[in-house]
Amino acid sequence: VLDNEKKDSYSLVIVAKDGGSPPKQTTTSLRVIVDNINETPPVFDAKLIKFTVKENTLPGTVIGDVRAHDMDAGENGRIMYYVLGGNLFGQFGVNRTTGDIYAAKIVDYELASSYAIIVQAVDNSNVNPMSSEVVVNITIEDVNDNPPVFSDNPVHIQMKENLPVGS
């Protein structure tokens, strides 16, 4: 079985002999190049990936990475990453070439306390591209960034005079 990932070419010497008397022969060289076909999809290092990020993390901050590997050689083994879904409010992004997950906006716990984004890895085959997906669970850590707020400001309370202490 020819497999480009194991050996991409073979060199042969071909000898042709006739049945004459005396026999004559000639030789030539032949090089067989094994084409690389896209046989395998990218595979992520983990089936489920979890990250925790603090609220107020700034846009562009890398919070983790996803990595996939492809057993194919050349362009068939080069991987690009995409966010497919679960990215509520466009909060996170993925670097298409490295798989780094980053904050696309300032992270706000009050907007959402967790995300389950789906990241896809696609190989670069132009004939038969293959892909796989992984779920990335991102938990947002709340920080005390909002002071208490009175529902009415100013607050008005009416009391009768001469009430006992503690009323």
Side-chain angles (χ1 to χ4, degrees), residues 20-54:
S21 181
K24 302 260 187 205
Q25 75 177 36
T26 188
T27 61
T28 190
S29 296
L30 174 68
R31 183 173 164 111
V32 177
I33 297 174
V34 181
D35 282 342
N36 182 14
I37 61 171
N38 197 19
E39 303 168 279
T40 60
V43 176
F44 282 96
D45 292 344
K47 295 192 185 293
L48 179 67
I49 299 170
K50 297 179 181 183
F51 299 118
T52 300
V53 61
K54 288 188 184 243

Side-chain angles (χ1 to χ4, degrees), residues 143-162:
V143 297
N144 190 10
D145 61 345
N146 294 305
V149 176
F150 288 103
S151 56
D152 294 324
N153 192 2
V155 177
H156 297 282
I157 301 174
Q158 289 187 341
M159 299 175 63
K160 295 184 180 189
E161 64 181 333
N162 298 324

Side-chain angles (χ1 to χ4, degrees), residues 78-120:
R78 190 164 65 92
I79 300 170
M80 300 293 279
Y81 300 92
Y82 303 92
V83 174
L84 285 187
N87 194 15
L88 193 61
F89 311 115
Q91 185 65 59
F92 298 98
V94 62
N95 182 301
R96 290 193 174 166
T97 57
T98 66
D100 288 344
I101 305 289
Y102 60 89
K105 299 177 179 178
I106 293 177
V107 178
D108 188 356
Y109 178 87
E110 285 72 33
L111 195 60
S113 61
S114 66
Y115 296 81
I117 65 173
I118 301 167
V119 176
Q120 180 184 52

Side-chain angles (χ1 to χ4, degrees), residues 124-166:
N124 202 40
S125 172
N126 59 1
V127 175
N128 180 30
M130 294 184 170
S131 66
S132 61
E133 291 82 33
V134 68
V135 174
V136 180
N137 287 328
I138 303 171
T139 302
I140 311 303
E141 256 181 41
D142 192 19
V143 297
N144 190 10
D145 61 345
N146 294 305
V149 176
F150 288 103
S151 56
D152 294 324
N153 192 2
V155 177
H156 297 282
I157 301 174
Q158 289 187 341
M159 299 175 63
K160 295 184 180 189
E161 64 181 333
N162 298 324
L163 286 174
V165 173

